[in-house]
Amino acid sequence: MRVYPPAAWRAAIACAIVMALSPAALIAITPFFVGPVSQQYGWAQSETLTLYSLPMIVAPLALPLAGRWVDLWGVRVVAIPCFVLYAVTTALVAEMGASEIRLGLAIGLSNMFGFMGSVGVYYKVVSEWFPHHRAVGFSVLIGATGSLAGAVYSPLGQFAVHTLGWRGTYLALGLVILLIGVPTQIFLLSEPGSRTDQPGARIATSDTGTGEPGAHTGADAPSVPLPGMSFLASLWTRRWVSVVFVIVGTSGIVAAVRQNAVALLGERGYSAGLASLSLSALMIASVIGQFVSGVALDRTRTPRAGVLFFACVPVGIAILLTAHGNRWQLMLAMCLLGVVVGAEATVGAYLVSRYFGLRAFAQVQGLTMGIGSLSIGIAPIVLQWAREHSSNYSGALVGALVIGIAVVAVALSLPRYAYPAAEFDPEAARPHRKTESLDNA
């Protein structure tokens, strides 16, 4: 890891901070907004949950667009203005009043700008700055930081909504995003080289190997195309469809359980406090899943390295089906689902880079994550709808178990990789130390 330049590590710090403030992390607070909002405006909880889930339906439209802009103009042009708008629209949620349309629009815009300025940018940043440790970068800098922040936000969100109210909590969130997230994007974010006006091209950096931004060989420096398939060509492959199914299945199942955790677990004999604790355990387990899956992918040559993590989905759901008041069964089930949250995000991005290369990576990954976000938005609504039209959640959980088994089967059938894991040999790039030179002499 020491072969990477200081600019790479500054970008890594920016990634960790921004992902901790992204909608992917703040979604942990959503279960604590649904009740107070429903009570204040007299809406059914399923209606309010729909308002919070709709932004996940908007994300598929926003992320490919963000990826396109990143591939064309670079990460800073997209990240900074998007995060400013993210802060403003988050604070505006508190001022929308008793209108489902206005409230849903404000939440949707907040999540759209937040995803564009974080997820839409940082997968590309990590892919280019850490090519030989890409999976670990995805897992630690993107997934694990968001998951760890979510683990903190779950009890903190319950406390904030109880003390500040849901409106005050939104105003506080907008202020934090503006004062911490935006300066982080401005002062720490960068990428190797500069952008040309050609998609998937990169200006050659100086022969010093530092990769520092702006280290050009001159105004007439040739563009170096990144290896990989075009955006449209990638979509017309069985590999992409398989990756999307795996992501949609795992994301949807975990989101459905997490977003309905208070009601679902209450039906099975658990208090709201214990449900909050289990959600924190889920997010902490996801940190472990992110790191282990990243290391496993970087050190293996087969996509089947991620199968073990996806198998946690049906196992966790099966345990949850039998858990009625048993605290340890609950914690085990939620930890298994949490491990999958980490593996799903890391494995999905890594498979996209290995199957389709970096030429249109931001666009392909943006669309893939967008469709995954679509499942995150729809699955909780489906689960709640099933509960309101039946006597309990058991039937929906059985359906989730079947989908989880199908995900494992598809993951086992994934083909070999098409592109190498890295674009350079880190050992060849490692600077020689003075002591090593003396020893060789």
Side-chain angles (χ1 to χ4, degrees):
M1 298 289 284
R2 289 175 294 176
V3 302
Y4 300 112
W9 296 109
R10 290 193 294 271
I13 295 172
C15 179
I17 294 174
V18 168
M19 289 306 301
L21 297 173
S22 71
L26 293 178
I27 194 174
I29 307 178
T30 298
F32 307 106
F33 284 130
V34 173
V37 173
S38 300
Q39 184 177 6
Q40 179 170 349
Y41 295 134
W43 299 337
Q45 288 206 9
S46 59
E47 295 178 5
T48 307
L49 184 61
T50 300
L51 291 178
Y52 279 95
S53 300
L54 282 177
M56 301 302 177
I57 300 176
V58 176
L61 303 177
L63 289 177
L65 180 62
R68 175 67 174 174
W69 290 344
V70 168
D71 287 333
L72 283 173
W73 303 316
V75 296
R76 290 171 58 85
V77 175
V78 178
I80 296 172
C82 280
F83 238 65
V84 172
L85 293 172
Y86 175 38
V88 172
T89 51
T90 297
L92 285 177
V93 173
E95 305 300 327
M96 290 298 102
S99 170
E100 294 185 6
I101 295 178
R102 291 199 302 269
L103 184 62
L105 181 61
I107 296 173
L109 289 174
S110 171
N111 280 264
M112 183 183 71
F113 290 126
F115 277 120
M116 291 176 70
S118 58
V119 175
V121 170
Y122 281 96
Y123 278 104
K124 187 64 173 283
V125 172
V126 173
S127 295
E128 292 194 350
W129 272 126
F130 302 96
H132 195 68
H133 300 85
R134 191 174 294 157
V136 172
F138 291 156
S139 65
V140 175
L141 300 177
I142 297 178
T145 53
S147 298
L148 187 60
V152 175
Y153 292 155
S154 186
L156 186 61
Q158 184 185 30
F159 174 78
V161 172
H162 178 73
T163 55
L164 300 177
W166 70 270
R167 294 178 184 274
T169 302
Y170 269 113
L171 292 173
L173 287 174
L175 187 62
V176 169
I177 293 169
L178 184 65
L179 296 181
I180 297 178
V182 175
T184 297
Q185 303 272 34
I186 293 174
F187 296 110
L188 298 179
L189 181 60
S190 67
E191 61 183 321
S194 299
R195 303 280 112 185
T196 66
D197 58 355
Q198 298 296 323
R202 178 172 52 195
I203 292 294
T205 56
S206 66
D207 55 8
T208 61
T210 61
E212 291 280 349
H216 306 293
T217 55
D220 58 347
S223 61
V224 181
L226 295 171
M229 300 172 61
S230 68
F231 176 64
L232 293 179
S234 301
L235 305 188
W236 289 99
T237 61
R238 184 179 68 86
R239 292 170 293 174
W240 184 73
V241 174
S242 298
V243 171
V244 167
F245 178 79
V246 169
I247 292 176
V248 165
T250 54
S251 301
I253 291 172
V254 177
V257 172
R258 185 169 65 175
Q259 295 294 84
N260 292 281
V262 176
L264 187 154
L265 298 179
E267 179 183 276
R268 304 184 109 67
Y270 300 102
S271 65
L274 190 56
S276 173
L277 183 62
S278 71
L279 288 173
S280 293
L282 181 148
M283 300 308 295
I284 292 173
S286 72
V287 176
I288 300 173
Q290 290 281 359
F291 180 76
V292 174
S293 62
V295 172
L297 288 169
D298 275 333
R299 293 178 178 272
T300 57
R301 298 182 179 181
T302 171
R304 292 190 178 92
V307 171
L308 179 63
F309 301 95
F310 293 123
C312 292
V313 173
V315 175
I317 293 297
I319 296 175
L320 199 59
L321 273 167
T322 62
H324 291 276
N326 188 301
R327 175 177 300 186
W328 299 112
Q329 274 188 297
L330 172 64
M331 291 301 173
L332 177 59
M334 297 298 273
C335 285
L336 285 171
L337 294 177
V339 168
V340 174
V341 171
E344 162 262 317
T346 300
V347 173
Y350 186 77
L351 291 180
V352 168
S353 70
R354 294 298 303 274
Y355 281 140
F356 312 113
L358 296 182
R359 177 182 174 187
F361 174 79
Q363 296 176 69
V364 178
Q365 173 61 12
L367 180 60
T368 306
M369 288 293 293
I371 296 175
S373 298
L374 181 65
S375 70
I376 293 174
I378 293 176
I381 300 174
V382 172
L383 187 66
Q384 183 64 29
W385 178 87
R387 170 62 183 87
E388 293 180 357
H389 290 77
S390 64
S391 59
N392 52 51
Y393 285 101
S394 297
L397 290 177
V398 171
L401 177 62
V402 173
I403 295 174
I405 294 173
V407 166
V408 175
V410 172
L412 283 169
S413 68
L414 288 172
R416 294 180 177 180
Y417 296 134
Y419 292 90
E423 284 70 46
F424 70 97
D425 179 4
E427 291 301 324
R430 187 185 301 278
H432 296 289
R433 296 181 179 179
K434 184 177 181 179
T435 55
E436 292 174 344
S437 301
L438 293 175
D439 291 340
N440 293 333

